């Protein structure tokens, strides 16, 4: 990964007399001595390749020569004994390409020295907040601290600058998403090999997640959804405690995290190995919508337009099945968007859903129909890379044709 190139782009987009201060973050306390698994600030990871806590990236554009400094924690032998190795100065230099790496205890003094120069007019922090009612992120807390400490210096938000960059993936990033997709494919095959009436939804989840870990994925990229029967109609069902019944479908929405990058795939399988007629009719409509989005996905198109194309196919299908009379009623059976960006986050940064897609964008393609009265929930989700003149389905190899799925399942039926 060329983190140097990314930082250079940030330098160019920053105002002239500005300094960027970006924290990787600190662990979130759960209770007693338990901490939530650490997740580094995504923009910090994007600009450095590092994902540990207590690191700080400082990019000083106001200095005579623009200067980048990385601060890391010094390895304390006692802490290392209990919690494992820390990144060393040499490793940090090697990964990030930053020449100046200093220990974190000199950060405050260094910052004071920079601010005393008197030439810094603005400070950039990652001020992103998903929802205002969320607990403020560590970077937001720090931004507020500095705003109070250095009155008269304006606080700028780094997030839109990096978000814009993160929306187009480079070849290295695409390669990582492809790996995440490949592991997900293997995981889904393992689910299919074992799927049978009477098993629990959490067992399908376990069959998938075993492969994720066995093949070296970091972890599932989000809480695995394994919803059988009516549970398949609940969009973010993740209880996974019910029994898979003969004649029902199971909807599996899942993914793998691979070196920081996510896949996000959904497949809907017949628990007993065969789709019944009605399930197949609904499945074919959803598949048609999935393929229509693949046909339409290219530079210049927006996520909103892709969703309109998807909705039209689903609506026509629902009219044919007698579920609705007019296209406008399709919202009764399809209530989410067909696509979102995918990358370091499963729902990756998006400046606006009305922005025209550019080459390098990686998005999902996930039409679905959720028919409570028939206890049928079907979603077919693929991951797509926008290319110069169209798109590449990164998950093309993951079985989605009903015949192919049935044939595959029949090979593993107990005789
Ligand atoms: Mn998705």
């Amino acid at each position: 990964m060329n983190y140097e190139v990314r930082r250079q782009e940030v330098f160019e987009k920053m105002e002239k007399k500005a300094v960027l201060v970006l924290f990787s973050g600190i662990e979130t306390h759960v209770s007693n001595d338990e901490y939530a698994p650490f997740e580094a600030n995504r923009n910090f990871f994007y600009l450095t390749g590092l994902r540990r806590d207590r690191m700080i990236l400082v990019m000083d554009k106001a200095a005579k020569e623009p200067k980048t400094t990385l601060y890391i924690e010094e390895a304390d032998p006692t802490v290392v004994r209990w919690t494992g190795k820390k990144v060393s100065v040499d490793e940090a230099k090697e990964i990030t390409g930053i020449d100046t790496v200093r220990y974190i205890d000199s950060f405050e003094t260094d910052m004071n020295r920079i601010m005393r120069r008197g030439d810094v007019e603005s400070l950039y922090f990652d001020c992103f907040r998903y929802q205002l009612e969320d607990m403020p992120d560590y970077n937001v807390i720090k931004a507020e601290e500095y705003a109070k400490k250095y009155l008269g210096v304006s606080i700028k938000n780094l997030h839109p600058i990096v978000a814009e960059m993160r929306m187009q993936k480079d070849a290295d990033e695409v390669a990582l998403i492809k790996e995440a997709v490949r592991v997900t494919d293997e995981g889904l095959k393992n689910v299919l090999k074992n799927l049978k009436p009477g098993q629990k939804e959490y067992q399908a989840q376990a069959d998938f997640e075993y492969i994720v870990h066995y093949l070296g994925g970091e972890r599932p990229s989000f809480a695995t959804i394994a919803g059988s029967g009516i549970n398949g109609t609940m969009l973010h069902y993740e209880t996974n405690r019910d029994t898979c019944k003969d004649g029902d479908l199971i909807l599996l929405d899942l993914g793998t995290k691979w070196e920081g990058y996510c896949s996000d795939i959904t497949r809907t399988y017949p628990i007993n190995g065969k789709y019944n007629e009605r399930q197949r009719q609904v499945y074919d409509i959803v598949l048609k919508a999935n393929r229509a989005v693949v046909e339409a996905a290219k530079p210049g198109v927006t996520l909103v337009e892709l969703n309109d194309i998807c909705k039209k196919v689903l609506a026509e299908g629902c009219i044919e099945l007698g579920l609705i009379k007019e296209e406008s009623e399709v919202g009764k059976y399809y209530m989410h968007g067909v696509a979102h960006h995918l990358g370091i986050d499963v729902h990756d940064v998006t400046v606006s859903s009305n922005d025209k897609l550019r080459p390098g964008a990686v998005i999902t393609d996930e039409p679905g129909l959720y028919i409570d009265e028939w206890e049928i929930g079907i979603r077919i989700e693929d991951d797509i890379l926008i290319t110069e003149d169209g798109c590449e389905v990164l998950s093309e190899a993951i079985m989605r044709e009903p015949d192919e799925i049935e044939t595959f399942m029949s090979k593993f039926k107990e005789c």
Side-chain angles (χ1 to χ4, degrees):
M1 297 272 187
N2 207 334
Y3 303 108
E4 176 69 43
V5 171
R6 293 178 189 170
R7 290 193 300 269
Q8 200 49 46
E9 196 174 333
V10 170
F11 256 141
E12 279 158 25
K13 289 177 175 167
M14 282 166 65
E15 287 182 2
K16 278 200 182 104
K17 297 189 168 178
V19 176
L20 157 72
V21 186
L22 184 57
F23 297 83
S24 71
I26 55 170
E27 288 179 303
T28 309
H29 186 223
V30 176
S31 176
N32 202 13
D33 64 349
E34 191 186 344
Y35 287 82
F38 180 70
E39 288 286 341
N41 175 284
R42 301 295 200 262
N43 294 334
F44 180 89
F45 171 53
Y46 184 75
L47 296 176
T48 63
L50 296 171
R51 288 197 280 165
R52 292 293 290 262
D53 58 332
R54 292 169 203 280
M55 294 184 180
I56 311 165
L57 174 69
V58 175
M59 290 169 56
D60 182 357
K61 189 176 176 177
K64 282 193 196 89
E65 284 286 318
K67 190 165 171 49
T68 301
T69 310
L70 177 75
Y71 295 88
I72 65 170
E73 248 189 323
E74 190 167 5
D76 169 329
T78 317
V79 175
V80 170
R81 168 74 58 211
W82 286 87
T83 59
K85 238 175 116 237
K86 298 266 171 191
V87 172
S88 72
V89 170
D90 286 343
E91 284 165 342
K93 283 183 182 173
E94 169 82 27
I95 296 168
T96 62
I98 298 171
D99 299 330
T100 314
V101 177
R102 292 166 61 76
Y103 289 126
I104 205 164
D105 41 17
S106 54
F107 167 71
E108 285 296 338
T109 327
D110 287 2
M111 269 314 282
N112 288 340
R113 193 176 303 133
I114 289 174
M115 298 311 285
R116 267 206 308 272
R117 285 196 323 240
D119 56 5
V120 179
E121 291 174 3
S122 42
L123 284 172
Y124 280 84
F125 288 89
D126 186 347
C127 303
F128 176 73
R129 286 185 96 161
Y130 181 62
Q131 300 185 96
L132 276 178
E133 54 267 36
D134 288 348
M135 291 280 280
D137 159 83
Y138 191 69
N139 279 279
V140 173
I141 295 171
K142 287 289 171 187
E144 284 169 350
E145 239 177 75
Y146 276 76
K148 275 193 202 128
K149 189 168 174 187
Y150 300 108
L151 292 172
V153 172
S154 69
I155 302 293
K156 305 271 175 194
N157 189 2
L158 166 75
H159 191 74
I161 296 178
V162 184
E164 184 67 42
M165 293 164 63
R166 279 173 54 190
M167 284 175 73
Q168 282 71 237
K169 276 71 185 171
D170 62 28
D172 292 336
E173 295 181 285
V174 171
L176 294 178
I177 297 173
K178 277 187 177 169
E179 269 308 289
V181 166
R182 184 187 66 80
V183 173
T184 305
D185 187 9
E186 294 304 321
L188 279 168
K189 282 187 192 140
N190 195 45
V191 172
L192 279 177
K193 283 178 190 170
N194 297 301
L195 190 60
K196 57 180 177 300
Q199 81 164 67
K200 295 288 186 182
E201 293 167 339
Y202 55 74
Q203 291 173 323
Q205 174 187 353
D207 285 335
F208 170 70
E209 292 181 5
Y210 167 77
I211 296 293
V212 170
H213 293 293
Y214 189 83
L215 293 181
E218 282 164 31
R219 57 179 173 82
S221 44
F222 53 92
T224 299
I225 296 171
S228 65
I230 189 79
N231 299 334
T233 67
M234 297 163 205
L235 303 179
H236 283 173
Y237 173 82
E238 51 191 57
T239 330
N240 304 349
R241 304 306 295 176
D242 281 353
T243 304
C244 300
K245 291 203 267 320
D246 196 357
D248 277 353
L249 299 174
I250 184 165
L251 183 153
L252 299 144
D253 186 345
L254 36 76
T256 308
K257 195 144 193 157
W258 188 272
E259 288 182 31
Y261 283 78
C262 302
S263 63
D264 182 8
I265 301 290
T266 309
R267 288 292 182 267
T268 310
Y269 299 137
I271 289 161
N272 64 14
K274 274 227 168 288
Y275 296 92
N276 67 31
E277 207 185 321
R278 183 173 261 177
Q279 289 164 349
R280 187 117 175 187
Q281 285 170 336
V282 180
Y283 193 99
D284 286 342
I285 295 166
V286 178
L287 186 55
K288 198 173 166 192
N290 173 288
R291 296 289 99 178
V293 170
V294 171
E295 282 302 311
K298 60 169 193 268
V301 175
T302 68
L303 296 186
V304 174
E305 286 165 352
L306 289 180
N307 197 38
D308 288 344
I309 289 163
C310 162
K311 263 160 85 175
K312 195 165 170 53
V313 177
L314 295 176
E316 285 166 2
C318 287
I319 291 171
E320 257 172 57
L321 290 179
L323 286 164
I324 55 170
K325 291 204 166 58
E326 285 176 28
E327 282 187 16
S328 60
E329 297 167 76
V330 72
K332 188 177 172 202
Y333 299 106
Y334 170 66
M335 55 298 279
H336 54 80
V338 75
H340 56 79
H341 284 263
L342 177 73
I344 303 175
D345 279 308
V346 179
H347 291 177
D348 211 26
V349 281
T350 311
V351 176
S352 156
S353 308
N354 268 316
D355 278 351
K356 293 184 190 316
L357 290 169
R358 281 171 275 170
V362 175
I363 59 166
T364 61
D365 167 12
E366 49 179 316
L369 283 175
Y370 311 95
I371 309 165
D372 290 4
E373 54 271 42
W374 296 347
E375 299 203 351
I376 292 179
I378 295 175
R379 181 161 63 250
I380 305 170
E381 177 177 25
D382 283 292
D383 299 339
I384 288 179
L385 166 69
I386 303 296
T387 57
E388 291 298 327
D389 53 0
C391 73
E392 180 190 344
V393 183
L394 302 176
S395 50
E396 193 56 34
I398 304 182
M399 281 181 275
R400 69 178 73 63
E401 292 293 334
D403 287 341
E404 206 186 350
I405 292 166
E406 289 181 357
T407 308
F408 186 87
M409 288 182 79
S410 69
K411 288 187 212 153
F412 299 95
K413 277 238 171 252
E414 285 157 22
C415 303

